[in-house]
Amino acid sequence: MAELPLSADQIAAHNAARLPALQDEYESLGRQLDRRGITIDTIKRRITSFSVALPTWGSGTGGTRFAKFPIPGEPTNIHEKLEDCAVVQQITRVTPRVSPHFPWDITDDYDGLRKEAESLGLGFDAVNSNTFQDQASQNRSYRHGSLTATDADVRAQAVEHNLKCIEIGRALGSKAITVWIGDGTNFPGQQDFAASLDRYLSTAAEIYRGLPDDWRMLLEHKLYEPAFYSTVISDWGTSILAAQELGPKAQCLVDLGHHAPTVNIEQIVARLHRFGKLGGFHFNDSKYGDDDLDSGSINPHQLFLVFNELVEAERRRPDDFRPAYMIDQSHNVTDPIESMLSSAEAIVAAYSKALLIDRDALHAAQDGNDVMMAFQALRRAYRLDVSPILAMARMEAGGAIEPIELYRDSQWRDRKAQERKPATGAAGIV
Ligand code: LRH
Ligand code: MN
């Protein structure tokens, strides 16, 4: 039986005080949806089976190249990161898995770590490799790239690291590896675009050959940063061609912050699914670049439109629909747990609103070129306040009706500030 970090009695007391108001709001929304021919309990059941993985690196404060401002009581090792992710899961009941990153989460007993996570009610989602930073123990630098480096020994080192991550992932019970590389250039002429992609395809193929039969390799594209003139896997087009070249276990991962500002990400989602290459997501939000801000905090409508495409994709080909949902954010100015509580809510809310779209009315309007009624079919769902459904699903699953209130009342962070050693303030993402 999982030894959960927060007191179940405190959660029960918190819910008991708020249940009458929630029931009233739930019944009122239920009547509103009834008038639309929608059964609110059906939607509640759908979202109860929804989940999104947490990034271990999101449980600590993140930083930028300028600075990082750690908070007292934040986690500084994988064991404390798991504890904090378990707090988010215990309160939200929609984040039962964590996505680890290596070597940031390195330890010496992965079977033990798997059991430790299980005892906290957590499992492991995709593992993430890291050939975008040099480790002290490394022989060769990734200064001029990793999987696409011109130096064959550097490429071999990067392949070996990814195969090591797969080995660790097998011990943790993961079923996928996410490969994001920062390889690219800062100057025109710095690299041969064709040759660098060919190097990627051959090294990625070596990693692909190391995949267990039931695993996936998720290719994460990104337009720029850390390279600022060109990036080898810069967009979904290059990513899908590489995934098709590698084979059926290779799919594409969409990080919402990895596109030029005006790109239509929801259309990319529809395209990737059409060709059987929709592997997963890194949810976050951004205003300018890869800002890694909280999901739904800047452009919740885009998140809704992405889930609209996901609901359509699942209806169109349910057997070929299993995207890995993960959060990838950098919490620079908030308590990371509060940001993950708020982000999980925003993601489930976007999914719920997409489930509330009257698809028959939408498809009829689309087929009949009734432009305004097609748009209104989306807008009628988007403007609904779905929070009573989310809160009821959460409460019934053992979570808290008001996540951030419950978290603050638990004084988790203050308690951890007494126990944990202070985090360093070195600039950089983690
Ligand atoms: C790259 C990225 C990638 C991770 C890193 C933490 O910007 O999105 O997914 O490895 O952030
Ligand atoms: Mn990412």
Side-chain angles (χ1 to χ4, degrees):
M1 180 51 194
E3 184 58 39
L4 301 182
L6 300 178
S7 110
D9 296 346
Q10 189 204 353
I11 295 177
H14 165 99
N15 289 339
R18 292 164 180 76
L19 186 52
L22 173 58
Q23 264 160 349
D24 178 57
E25 288 159 13
Y26 187 81
E27 281 147 23
S28 151
L29 179 59
R31 288 190 295 278
Q32 190 182 359
L33 294 180
D34 259 348
R35 288 190 288 276
R36 297 184 184 198
I38 299 170
T39 309
I40 192 169
D41 286 355
T42 309
I43 304 298
K44 183 183 63 178
R45 271 192 299 282
R46 290 286 301 276
I47 60 174
T48 303
S49 56
F50 177 91
S51 62
V52 58
L54 297 173
T56 54
W57 62 95
S59 58
T61 50
T64 69
R65 59 185 167 162
F66 299 106
K68 185 173 110 157
F69 304 97
I71 60 171
E74 73 167 81
T76 59
N77 60 54
I78 184 59
H79 309 287
E80 295 173 350
K81 291 176 185 178
L82 288 181
E83 260 194 324
D84 287 13
C85 289
V87 167
V88 177
Q89 166 55 8
Q90 190 178 3
I91 294 175
T92 65
R93 301 295 167 154
V94 293
T95 60
R97 295 177 314 284
V98 296
S99 182
H101 216 299
F102 298 101
W104 296 340
D105 297 326
I106 212 153
T107 183
D108 47 22
D109 174 9
Y110 293 106
D111 288 333
L113 194 64
R114 180 178 185 164
K115 294 191 181 73
E116 185 183 330
E118 270 160 21
S119 73
L120 287 166
L122 295 173
F124 286 95
D125 206 303
V127 294
N128 295 269
S129 59
N130 176 344
T131 60
F132 51 86
Q133 293 173 321
D134 284 346
Q135 310 304 323
S137 57
Q138 230 170 276
N139 300 334
R140 303 217 174 329
S141 169
Y142 293 132
R143 177 180 167 78
H144 294 301
S146 61
L147 293 178
T148 75
T150 55
D151 179 332
D153 294 333
V154 173
R155 297 198 303 273
Q157 177 182 275
V159 168
E160 194 198 330
H161 166 68
N162 279 275
L163 295 177
K164 179 72 186 151
C165 290
I166 293 172
E167 188 194 318
I168 293 171
R170 296 181 73 161
L172 295 175
S174 297
K175 292 293 182 197
I177 180 170
T178 298
V179 181
W180 170 68
I181 56 170
D183 296 23
T185 67
N186 280 4
F187 290 84
Q190 180 181 339
Q191 252 181 30
D192 177 318
F193 290 147
S196 57
L197 182 61
D198 283 342
R199 289 192 293 269
Y200 175 84
L201 292 171
S202 75
T203 48
E206 288 181 62
I207 299 169
Y208 187 94
R209 284 193 288 277
L211 293 173
D213 294 347
D214 59 352
W215 269 55
R216 290 188 287 180
M217 182 175 174
L218 304 177
L219 312 184
E220 184 176 2
H221 59 272
K222 182 173 183 179
L223 184 61
Y224 74 98
E225 188 213 31
F228 295 102
Y229 169 65
S230 74
T231 294
V232 177
I233 307 299
S234 56
D235 59 19
W236 76 278
T238 308
S239 184
I240 198 171
L241 292 170
Q244 287 171 334
E245 183 100 353
L246 289 167
K249 289 189 277 187
Q251 293 187 310
C252 306
L253 182 140
V254 179
D255 184 312
L256 298 190
H258 287 188
H259 306 86
T262 60
V263 163
N264 186 323
I265 298 174
E266 53 272 22
Q267 187 179 31
I268 293 173
V269 171
R271 293 285 176 274
L272 290 173
H273 185 254
R274 170 63 185 75
F275 296 98
K277 287 299 182 183
L278 182 62
F281 289 84
H282 277 177
F283 291 118
N284 49 55
D285 213 334
S286 46
K287 183 135 183 78
Y288 305 104
D290 186 21
D291 311 340
D292 281 340
L293 300 173
D294 291 8
S295 299
S297 63
I298 305 293
N299 189 350
H301 193 243
Q302 175 181 263
L303 192 57
F304 163 71
L305 295 176
V306 164
F307 272 98
N308 172 40
E309 290 309 324
L310 290 166
V311 171
E312 279 290 354
E314 185 170 16
R315 282 166 63 105
R316 194 169 293 118
R317 294 214 319 272
D319 313 342
D320 176 20
F321 181 81
R322 54 191 191 97
Y325 293 143
M326 294 171 275
I327 289 174
D328 176 5
Q329 294 169 189
S330 182
H331 306 124
N332 303 355
V333 293
T334 55
D335 179 315
I337 287 181
E338 293 189 356
S339 274
M340 296 198 282
L341 292 171
S342 160
S343 304
E345 172 97 353
I347 292 164
V348 185
Y351 175 51
S352 315
K353 289 178 184 235
L355 288 175
L356 290 167
I357 295 170
D358 179 340
R359 299 227 164 245
D360 297 337
L362 172 63
H363 296 157
Q366 288 170 336
D367 297 344
N369 296 310
D370 184 338
V371 177
M372 181 45 72
M373 291 321 283
F375 172 67
Q376 287 304 324
L378 267 61
R379 188 43 56 91
R380 286 190 81 225
Y382 182 68
R383 65 170 178 250
L384 284 165
D385 172 7
V386 294
S387 51
I389 307 177
L390 275 58
M392 190 63 83
R394 213 172 25 245
M395 193 271 299
E396 290 175 356
I401 290 174
E402 288 299 342
I404 293 178
E405 274 180 42
L406 185 279
Y407 170 66
R408 291 196 172 184
D409 293 347
S410 77
Q411 297 177 337
W412 173 265
R413 190 60 73 199
D414 300 342
R415 285 190 278 137
K416 293 299 153 182
Q418 311 309 318
E419 291 169 24
R420 293 174 175 174
K421 69 177 175 59
T424 61
I429 183 171
V430 293

